[in-house]
Amino acid sequence: MAMLRVRRTGMVCADNVEPVFDESTSHDVVARCPNGKIKGRSTAPIYVIIRINLDGTDTDADVIGYSYALEYGNPFMENIAARDAFGKFWNYKDGSPCYDPVKDDGTERPFPEGRFIMWDEVDPDYEGIPSVTVGSITIYEAKEADKNRRPIRRYKMMQAQPTINDFMSIETAGDKKFLK
């Protein structure tokens, strides 16, 4: 039986034959996905980077990015926080853009005047439940050194553990095109 196209309905009737698969590729899902890994990506957490506006009465939070790896998310977050605080991309030849309140000898240094950014302490685990915050940077504004420091914005990298239901509910580009 050849493939037939029914003009009235627009449907195509295909031959009733068994499909031929490439035998060099494994089609066993369990064999292809040991420990939940597909093509090098695991079902491990996704790190979501959010920006929280703390200045004024309109406090809100926006998702600005995500990362599959912790080592890529924190430098990105530091880079955009420095851009936000100082109005330009930071030149790392000048050192770190973040203020460190402790000197190398262990003594405390005074807070700077104007805007500065500082890494926050990560929340400890609570009764065996790990903290979802894995990194946090705050931008501060200080009119005078050591006085009247107020936080303006905070960048946080949060750990998200999507489930299969979360992945199934995400609309793809094809879904959005179909729904138009």
Side-chain angles (χ1 to χ4, degrees):
M1 174 181 196
M3 289 189 38
L4 300 172
R5 182 176 188 94
V6 180
R7 289 184 181 215
R8 187 174 45 130
T9 61
M11 298 190 62
V12 176
C13 297
D15 294 335
N16 188 12
V17 295
E18 288 293 320
V20 178
F21 293 109
D22 181 12
E23 295 299 325
S24 64
T25 304
S26 172
H27 296 283
D28 182 8
V29 176
V30 175
R32 291 184 66 189
C33 308
N35 299 324
K37 294 185 178 182
I38 300 173
K39 293 187 179 180
R41 285 281 169 236
S42 70
T43 55
I46 295 173
Y47 300 100
V48 180
I49 301 168
I50 60 173
R51 175 180 49 224
I52 305 164
N53 187 13
L54 302 170
D55 196 22
T57 58
D58 297 330
T59 302
D60 71 345
D62 298 310
V63 174
I64 57 173
Y66 68 93
S67 177
Y68 288 108
L70 194 59
E71 62 267 11
Y72 299 127
N74 279 330
F76 172 75
M77 188 170 62
E78 183 180 79
N79 195 10
I80 59 174
R83 168 87 169 141
D84 184 12
F86 306 122
K88 62 179 183 171
F89 286 109
W90 186 259
N91 185 355
Y92 283 91
K93 292 180 183 176
D94 298 332
S96 174
C98 296
Y99 166 75
D100 187 4
V102 180
K103 294 181 183 178
D104 291 336
D105 62 2
T107 61
E108 292 185 12
R109 62 173 52 118
F111 285 99
E113 289 184 21
R115 281 193 177 179
F116 64 95
I117 62 177
M118 188 165 68
W119 281 98
D120 302 324
E121 293 289 327
V122 178
D123 298 332
D125 294 352
Y126 178 74
E127 295 182 6
I129 301 170
S131 172
V132 294
T133 304
V134 293
S136 179
I137 296 177
T138 303
I139 301 174
Y140 292 96
E141 181 79 50
K143 296 196 187 309
E144 298 176 25
D146 291 335
K147 295 181 183 173
N148 301 326
R149 287 185 310 277
R150 65 184 176 90
I152 297 173
R153 263 177 297 291
R154 182 166 289 136
Y155 291 86
K156 286 190 169 229
M157 190 157 69
M158 311 292 285
Q159 177 179 326
Q161 184 74 46
T163 64
I164 190 66
N165 292 333
D166 295 324
F167 286 117
M168 295 299 290
S169 66
I170 295 172
E171 290 181 353
T172 64
D175 295 334
K176 291 177 184 176
K177 185 176 180 181
F178 178 73
L179 294 173
K180 283 185 180 180

